[in-house]
Amino acid sequence: MKLRINNTLIVPMTQEGLYFKGDIGIDGKYISWIGKQPQGFEADRIIDGTGYLAMPSLINSHTHLSMGLMRNYKDDLPTLQAWLGEIFPIEDKLTEDDILKASRLGALELIQGGTTLFTDMYFQPQATAQASLEAGLRASIGVTLFGELSDNVERMKEREKLLAPYLQEADGRIVLNCAPHAIYTCTKETYQYAASWTREHQTILHTHLSETEKEVQDCLSVHKLTPPQYLSEIGVLQDLKGMLAHCVHLTESDIALISSLDMTIVHNPSSNLKLGSGIAPIASYIKGGIPIALGTDGASSNNNLNMFEEMHIASLLGRVSGQTTKLKPYQVLEMATKNGAMAMGLQEKIGTLEVGKEADLILIDLQKSHLTPLNDPFSALVYATQASDVATVICQGNILMENHAMKTLNENQILRDVNDTWANVLQR
Amino acid sequence: MKLRINNTLIVPMTQEGLYFKGDIGIDGKYISWIGKQPQGFEADRIIDGTGYLAMPSLINSHTHLSMGLMRNYKDDLPTLQAWLGEIFPIEDKLTEDDILKASRLGALELIQGGTTLFTDMYFQPQATAQASLEAGLRASIGVTLFGELSDNVERMKEREKLLAPYLQEADGRIVLNCAPHAIYTCTKETYQYAASWTREHQTILHTHLSETEKEVQDCLSVHKLTPPQYLSEIGVLQDLKGMLAHCVHLTESDIALISSLDMTIVHNPSSNLKLGSGIAPIASYIKGGIPIALGTDGASSNNNLNMFEEMHIASLLGRVSGQTTKLKPYQVLEMATKNGAMAMGLQEKIGTLEVGKEADLILIDLQKSHLTPLNDPFSALVYATQASDVATVICQGNILMENHAMKTLNENQILRDVNDTWANVLQR
């Protein structure tokens, strides 16, 4: 299909300060032109973009999609550890079908908030892959490793088999990666296996790291090394691409170490505050040369998957005094778009609006009291835009939502199913 | 008119943890019953509240409503002082008509986000009063004092006269108070006059206080006193009710002083971060016995008037480590409802849903992916609800918005007028 979006305010995210009025042509999966329609392009469909802003769709680089099931549950606990003590027993009861229904809820919320790629880490990942395929989303599905090596080798093999049909059907939108949970839940051998598997399959290692002071202190007590030093020491961070979620507590030498590797830190500001983990000094990490992406974490520690709110909070926390530099709105937008693509090695395919890239983009309704006057679009996007301003979402050239109407998912059915599922889980 | 809201989830904000399904009856201005409809109440209109949550409408306790005109303008400045250096020259150019149009924009945004009372401080306050009257909102209109005493006595007299007709027409919804801007812009005599005027008229003194480290340091240099100590020393804080905006930097003795007076601190977390002022340790202030209300500050330093986002950010910042206690969602909801009413001396009239109080309430649409499952409604309201989930807004028994349709204001006209006005201001 050939699609034209007319007369819209384009924020391509290719250059700081760049925005302009124009049209966008999409041919099949690809952006075929931007600006003025060339001779010979006959659109099958036209979307009027007047009064809208077009930008790359957002990338949520660290989440646990199905945890929306535990939204607003056991919120008032003081630490990550206390909260996990409540969540783990619930997770033990979850079936693959529960996770499928919860993943559909997550996919719905992602699309409604303008996100088309998420990097996930959870149980029963084939159910999350199925929901992503149904939704038409991109997904980096992490097979979560916990505990001893022997269990994990089996788990990985089994998951590869279960996930294969979804990967095959998704036209490159779904990839599988290996996601050892954290240094306090996985053995050294499990991490080393995860690294070997990642190198062999040329994919991404996704893990939690240096999330809390306790994690850092425990690691120092046992290994006399910080968590990044420990993973480096056992050979897990070298010769592969990695996504390190949280990294709230890094030392100067951790920053130097990570910046020498092919790693992206995924900032999760809401979850870090909500679980009492602290504020990651992101501006210092950027100054240290580390690329930063943005994630919401799971909706049970956030409590939503709203990347606009996450950008706003990241930006505000980037101005806490004591940080060496301030985060600019454009930098925060990069974290939520092109840096997420780079972290996944997808920078040639998505993350900006450029001719030849795949068409992952959103239209934001600017006819809103809180976006009037618009003035600087970058400020508007980071400080004032709400997830609900996203009207239309396109992923790989397919329309997933148009003027707030879902095209791939049945919203009412998904909400009913999740309420039924959760009531059922609580009674088990 | 007699109005009934059917079968809704009621969060009355009278008690922590209390919520229940029921109906609400409104007779004229007042809530006449809650729970089950009594014999003899014949509703003229019924709103189906199935799938909605009813709660007291929100109170924005510190804003500069018309500053929405400067939204997303000159955002990337490092400090409050640098930003004011850009904003003051623009403000010098604003006419009363500009401020009327900007106030209508603010009124629209407040209603759309579920706020029905705001405490304001700005120039040409009669224009803001006019917009509030048109909108059907409650407003605490502050006459802003700047500079020397002589100018301010004249200004206050003139404003009282200009505002009188709006106060008279508003059936108690609009009140006038005296708002000396800050200790770095007003003389001692101006503050003393403001205090006398406030005592005489039995209203509220509204001022900025201890917003930045610079303000505190400058005050210590000149007066050898902290800003609250200075205002206390010159007799401004005694024998009156006051609202102290920001208070980011208080000492232990400031906390003891303020808690001994009839003062509410208004927390403005987004603005404090955005302008680099810091994080107010609100949990410590609460522990010290000071009541806390919540405000967005002006939309040019926020950049919206979204009290749901403000509650979320306040709650997350209340979990920054180093604070003595953590803020619970219910406490944050109190800040945005009953504490705002108390600060204004309106606790007998509004701030909770109780029989006999005036009917200021909102209905929130719960049929949303990010509110499913709902689990704890207090968590849901603070961590997950978006301003755009507010469907219906009632103030003093009048419907201001019903199922997202504006009843008192012309949305399209207001947005057009503001864009025209702002383009015009920039060319002056």
Side-chain angles (χ1 to χ4, degrees), chain B residues 176-316:
Chain B
L176 190 160
N177 61 46
C178 191
H181 177 262
I183 60 165
Y184 54 89
T185 49
C186 293
T187 63
K188 170 182 159 184
E189 291 73 21
T190 293
Y191 262 107
Q192 288 170 331
Y193 166 72
S196 303
W197 191 95
T198 300
R199 287 183 198 108
E200 190 186 326
H201 293 78
Q202 299 210 319
T203 175
I204 314 292
L205 185 95
H206 179 201
T207 192
H208 296 102
L209 197 68
S210 296
E211 182 171 359
T212 62
E213 278 182 7
K214 178 172 167 29
E215 177 186 335
V216 176
Q217 288 311 319
D218 289 353
C219 188
L220 283 168
S221 296
V222 176
H223 303 292
K224 318 276 177 234
L225 296 167
T226 64
Q229 286 170 339
Y230 164 68
L231 286 187
S232 174
E233 178 82 5
I234 64 171
V236 167
L237 301 180
Q238 289 76 13
D239 304 318
L240 53 75
K241 234 176 145 55
M243 292 170 77
L244 306 175
H246 300 287
C247 292
V248 180
H249 303 281
L250 296 184
T251 63
E252 282 300 316
S253 69
D254 288 340
I255 296 174
L257 169 63
I258 292 171
S259 72
S260 74
L261 299 163
D262 192 4
M263 298 280 144
T264 295
I265 287 178
V266 186
H267 186 30
N268 299 270
S270 299
S271 174
N272 293 340
L273 284 171
K274 182 152 176 280
L275 297 174
S277 306
I279 298 173
I282 289 301
S284 305
Y285 299 168
I286 293 174
K287 205 178 173 195
I290 304 173
I292 309 292
L294 191 68
T296 58
D297 208 353
S300 51
S301 64
N302 185 302
N303 295 346
N304 57 44
L305 304 175
N306 182 336
M307 286 288 287
F308 280 97
E309 202 165 47
E310 211 65 32
M311 285 196 285
H312 193 177
I313 292 169
S315 177
L316 292 178

Side-chain angles (χ1 to χ4, degrees), chain A residues 269-289:
Chain A
S270 300
S271 173
N272 293 341
L273 284 170
K274 182 154 177 277
L275 297 175
S277 307
I279 298 174
I282 290 300
S284 305
Y285 300 168
I286 293 174
K287 206 178 173 197

Side-chain angles (χ1 to χ4, degrees), chain A residues 104-112 406 409 411 414-415, chain B residues 369:
Chain A
R104 285 180 182 139
L105 174 76
L108 176 66
E109 190 183 351
L110 288 178
I111 294 171
Q112 289 177 325
M406 298 305 302
L409 296 175
E411 179 171 7
I414 288 171
L415 301 185
Chain B
S369 57

